[in-house]
Amino acid sequence: MIKPYYRKKGFTLYLGDCLEVLKEFPENHFDMVFADPPYHLSNGGFTCHAGRRVSVNKGKWDESRGKI
Ligand SMILES: C[S@@+](CC[C@H](N)C(=O)[O-])C[C@H]1O[C@@H](n2cnc3c(N)ncnc32)[C@H](O)[C@@H]1O
């Protein structure tokens, strides 16, 4: 079983690739999963923010892997 990264009463945090971490738990284990996943919008383009031209790139983690 995966080791918790942080634990407090009624709260446990796991650190890792969620697709791998979730496999460690049985079906129906969680009441809720809250996620703020990448939208894969970092494609080298530009947008307008506060009247300035800025890159849309957020980081390697937001680049599409071509699966969408
Ligand atoms: C939109 S950001 C979340 C930002 C965060 N909510 C905040 O306010 O700082 C998406 C995050 O998901 C992470 N991420 C991407 N794929 C992941 C995966 N398979 N497992 C866990 N985290 C992942 C990325 O490294 C990135 O930090």
Side-chain angles (χ1 to χ4, degrees):
M1 184 56 91
I2 186 166
K3 195 175 149 223
Y5 176 75
Y6 179 82
R7 196 194 289 265
K8 214 172 179 176
K9 193 178 177 215
F11 175 86
T12 308
L13 181 67
Y14 296 94
L15 176 65
D17 181 333
C18 66
L19 301 175
E20 297 305 319
V21 171
L22 286 172
K23 288 179 192 167
E24 299 283 328
F25 295 90
E27 234 175 273
N28 300 316
H29 181 80
F30 295 103
D31 293 324
M32 186 191 87
V33 174
F34 176 85
D36 180 12
Y39 290 91
H40 299 302
L41 297 175
S42 295
N43 59 4
F46 293 90
T47 188
C48 181
H49 181 75
R52 300 179 67 178
R53 182 179 188 251
V54 294
S55 169
V56 297
N57 292 350
K58 298 187 185 320
K60 205 81 185 139
W61 57 266
D62 193 47
E63 289 176 5
S64 170
R65 294 181 208 154
K67 292 179 186 167
I68 299 173

